[in-house]
Amino acid sequence: GKHRIVIPCLGHFKEEYEKVSKLYMNNQIRTTKYTLLNFLPRNLFEQFHRVANLYFLFLVVLNWVPLVEAFQKEITMLPLVVVLTIIAVKDGLEDYSKYKMDKQINNLLTKVYSR
């Protein structure tokens, strides 16, 4: 059957612990979607999977064609930019609160049963 090996990080076991611990993933909880590096591209990718945002993007692109231009280009972009910005701020704040909660949970003290 399956078994696990627990090596304490104490005294003369420290070298063995450091050698073995590199082989396994850590035990941290991570519920966040974004990092600082991937927030903008991933958030835009998710937002443009919504049909309404694609519709407004289509109107913006269509308005850049001189034959079809109905309004000023900047006015057509304004609703899309406002909606994308509001949703990005909301998603960022939600993800940050998840990050703080994960950090709090990962730093809790635990008790280990030992015979």
Side-chain angles (χ1 to χ4, degrees), residues 92-103:
L93 291 174
E94 285 177 358
D95 211 54
Y96 182 68
S97 67
K98 287 180 185 179
Y99 166 77
K100 288 189 336 187
M101 186 61 74
D102 291 346
K103 191 173 180 181

PDB file of all heavy atoms in Angstrom, residues 92-103:
ATOM      1  N   GLY A  92      -9.426  42.269  -9.072  1.00  0.00           N
ATOM      2  CA  GLY A  92      -8.178  42.447  -8.346  1.00  0.00           C
ATOM      3  C   GLY A  92      -8.382  42.502  -6.845  1.00  0.00           C
ATOM      4  O   GLY A  92      -7.634  41.894  -6.079  1.00  0.00           O
ATOM      5  N   LEU A  93      -9.406  43.225  -6.410  1.00  0.00           N
ATOM      6  CA  LEU A  93      -9.693  43.316  -4.973  1.00  0.00           C
ATOM      7  C   LEU A  93     -10.139  41.973  -4.404  1.00  0.00           C
ATOM      8  O   LEU A  93      -9.726  41.591  -3.303  1.00  0.00           O
ATOM      9  CB  LEU A  93     -10.755  44.385  -4.705  1.00  0.00           C
ATOM     10  CG  LEU A  93     -10.315  45.826  -4.933  1.00  0.00           C
ATOM     11  CD1 LEU A  93     -11.491  46.774  -4.778  1.00  0.00           C
ATOM     12  CD2 LEU A  93      -9.183  46.202  -4.007  1.00  0.00           C
ATOM     13  N   GLU A  94     -10.963  41.232  -5.155  1.00  0.00           N
ATOM     14  CA  GLU A  94     -11.384  39.904  -4.696  1.00  0.00           C
ATOM     15  C   GLU A  94     -10.189  38.963  -4.588  1.00  0.00           C
ATOM     16  O   GLU A  94     -10.059  38.210  -3.619  1.00  0.00           O
ATOM     17  CB  GLU A  94     -12.408  39.309  -5.660  1.00  0.00           C
ATOM     18  CG  GLU A  94     -13.785  39.902  -5.558  1.00  0.00           C
ATOM     19  CD  GLU A  94     -14.738  39.323  -6.579  1.00  0.00           C
ATOM     20  OE1 GLU A  94     -14.316  38.474  -7.401  1.00  0.00           O
ATOM     21  OE2 GLU A  94     -15.908  39.716  -6.563  1.00  0.00           O
ATOM     22  N   ASP A  95      -9.313  39.012  -5.582  1.00  0.00           N
ATOM     23  CA  ASP A  95      -8.152  38.128  -5.571  1.00  0.00           C
ATOM     24  C   ASP A  95      -7.193  38.497  -4.445  1.00  0.00           C
ATOM     25  O   ASP A  95      -6.590  37.622  -3.832  1.00  0.00           O
ATOM     26  CB  ASP A  95      -7.445  38.184  -6.924  1.00  0.00           C
ATOM     27  CG  ASP A  95      -6.771  36.892  -7.273  1.00  0.00           C
ATOM     28  OD1 ASP A  95      -7.450  35.847  -7.247  1.00  0.00           O
ATOM     29  OD2 ASP A  95      -5.558  36.912  -7.564  1.00  0.00           O
ATOM     30  N   TYR A  96      -7.070  39.790  -4.160  1.00  0.00           N
ATOM     31  CA  TYR A  96      -6.202  40.214  -3.065  1.00  0.00           C
ATOM     32  C   TYR A  96      -6.747  39.740  -1.717  1.00  0.00           C
ATOM     33  O   TYR A  96      -5.983  39.310  -0.855  1.00  0.00           O
ATOM     34  CB  TYR A  96      -6.031  41.734  -3.065  1.00  0.00           C
ATOM     35  CG  TYR A  96      -5.119  42.229  -1.983  1.00  0.00           C
ATOM     36  CD1 TYR A  96      -3.752  41.945  -2.017  1.00  0.00           C
ATOM     37  CD2 TYR A  96      -5.613  42.962  -0.916  1.00  0.00           C
ATOM     38  CE1 TYR A  96      -2.912  42.384  -1.009  1.00  0.00           C
ATOM     39  CE2 TYR A  96      -4.779  43.409   0.086  1.00  0.00           C
ATOM     40  CZ  TYR A  96      -3.432  43.113   0.037  1.00  0.00           C
ATOM     41  OH  TYR A  96      -2.604  43.541   1.046  1.00  0.00           O
ATOM     42  N   SER A  97      -8.068  39.794  -1.550  1.00  0.00           N
ATOM     43  CA  SER A  97      -8.641  39.301  -0.291  1.00  0.00           C
ATOM     44  C   SER A  97      -8.451  37.788  -0.175  1.00  0.00           C
ATOM     45  O   SER A  97      -8.213  37.270   0.925  1.00  0.00           O
ATOM     46  CB  SER A  97     -10.114  39.672  -0.171  1.00  0.00           C
ATOM     47  OG  SER A  97     -10.876  39.001  -1.130  1.00  0.00           O
ATOM     48  N   LYS A  98      -8.531  37.062  -1.291  1.00  0.00           N
ATOM     49  CA  LYS A  98      -8.240  35.618  -1.265  1.00  0.00           C
ATOM     50  C   LYS A  98      -6.779  35.373  -0.887  1.00  0.00           C
ATOM     51  O   LYS A  98      -6.465  34.451  -0.138  1.00  0.00           O
ATOM     52  CB  LYS A  98      -8.516  34.990  -2.626  1.00  0.00           C
ATOM     53  CG  LYS A  98      -9.966  34.842  -2.953  1.00  0.00           C
ATOM     54  CD  LYS A  98     -10.100  34.195  -4.325  1.00  0.00           C
ATOM     55  CE  LYS A  98     -11.523  34.124  -4.781  1.00  0.00           C
ATOM     56  NZ  LYS A  98     -11.623  33.521  -6.117  1.00  0.00           N
ATOM     57  N   TYR A  99      -5.880  36.208  -1.417  1.00  0.00           N
ATOM     58  CA  TYR A  99      -4.452  36.081  -1.104  1.00  0.00           C
ATOM     59  C   TYR A  99      -4.205  36.277   0.387  1.00  0.00           C
ATOM     60  O   TYR A  99      -3.459  35.512   1.011  1.00  0.00           O
ATOM     61  CB  TYR A  99      -3.651  37.099  -1.924  1.00  0.00           C
ATOM     62  CG  TYR A  99      -2.235  37.291  -1.455  1.00  0.00           C
ATOM     63  CD1 TYR A  99      -1.254  36.348  -1.742  1.00  0.00           C
ATOM     64  CD2 TYR A  99      -1.872  38.416  -0.721  1.00  0.00           C
ATOM     65  CE1 TYR A  99       0.044  36.516  -1.298  1.00  0.00           C
ATOM     66  CE2 TYR A  99      -0.582  38.594  -0.278  1.00  0.00           C
ATOM     67  CZ  TYR A  99       0.377  37.643  -0.572  1.00  0.00           C
ATOM     68  OH  TYR A  99       1.663  37.817  -0.133  1.00  0.00           O
ATOM     69  N   LYS A 100      -4.842  37.302   0.975  1.00  0.00           N
ATOM     70  CA  LYS A 100      -4.668  37.551   2.410  1.00  0.00           C
ATOM     71  C   LYS A 100      -5.217  36.396   3.235  1.00  0.00           C
ATOM     72  O   LYS A 100      -4.603  35.979   4.220  1.00  0.00           O
ATOM     73  CB  LYS A 100      -5.339  38.864   2.814  1.00  0.00           C
ATOM     74  CG  LYS A 100      -4.596  40.075   2.323  1.00  0.00           C
ATOM     75  CD  LYS A 100      -5.071  41.410   2.859  1.00  0.00           C
ATOM     76  CE  LYS A 100      -6.459  41.506   3.329  1.00  0.00           C
ATOM     77  NZ  LYS A 100      -6.900  42.859   3.683  1.00  0.00           N
ATOM     78  N   MET A 101      -6.365  35.837   2.830  1.00  0.00           N
ATOM     79  CA  MET A 101      -6.943  34.708   3.562  1.00  0.00           C
ATOM     80  C   MET A 101      -6.052  33.467   3.429  1.00  0.00           C
ATOM     81  O   MET A 101      -5.837  32.742   4.409  1.00  0.00           O
ATOM     82  CB  MET A 101      -8.343  34.401   3.039  1.00  0.00           C
ATOM     83  CG  MET A 101      -9.061  33.344   3.843  1.00  0.00           C
ATOM     84  SD  MET A 101      -9.331  33.782   5.558  1.00  0.00           S
ATOM     85  CE  MET A 101     -10.625  34.966   5.398  1.00  0.00           C
ATOM     86  N   ASP A 102      -5.513  33.214   2.228  1.00  0.00           N
ATOM     87  CA  ASP A 102      -4.596  32.087   2.037  1.00  0.00           C
ATOM     88  C   ASP A 102      -3.362  32.229   2.913  1.00  0.00           C
ATOM     89  O   ASP A 102      -2.901  31.263   3.523  1.00  0.00           O
ATOM     90  CB  ASP A 102      -4.155  31.990   0.573  1.00  0.00           C
ATOM     91  CG  ASP A 102      -5.272  31.571  -0.356  1.00  0.00           C
ATOM     92  OD1 ASP A 102      -6.310  31.104   0.128  1.00  0.00           O
ATOM     93  OD2 ASP A 102      -5.091  31.720  -1.581  1.00  0.00           O
ATOM     94  N   LYS A 103      -2.829  33.444   2.976  1.00  0.00           N
ATOM     95  CA  LYS A 103      -1.646  33.691   3.791  1.00  0.00           C
ATOM     96  C   LYS A 103      -1.943  33.431   5.262  1.00  0.00           C
ATOM     97  O   LYS A 103      -1.131  32.833   5.978  1.00  0.00           O
ATOM     98  CB  LYS A 103      -1.173  35.130   3.581  1.00  0.00           C
ATOM     99  CG  LYS A 103       0.171  35.426   4.152  1.00  0.00           C
ATOM    100  CD  LYS A 103       0.619  36.818   3.743  1.00  0.00           C
ATOM    101  CE  LYS A 103       1.968  37.128   4.322  1.00  0.00           C
ATOM    102  NZ  LYS A 103       2.431  38.461   3.964  1.00  0.00           N
TER     103      LYS A 103
END
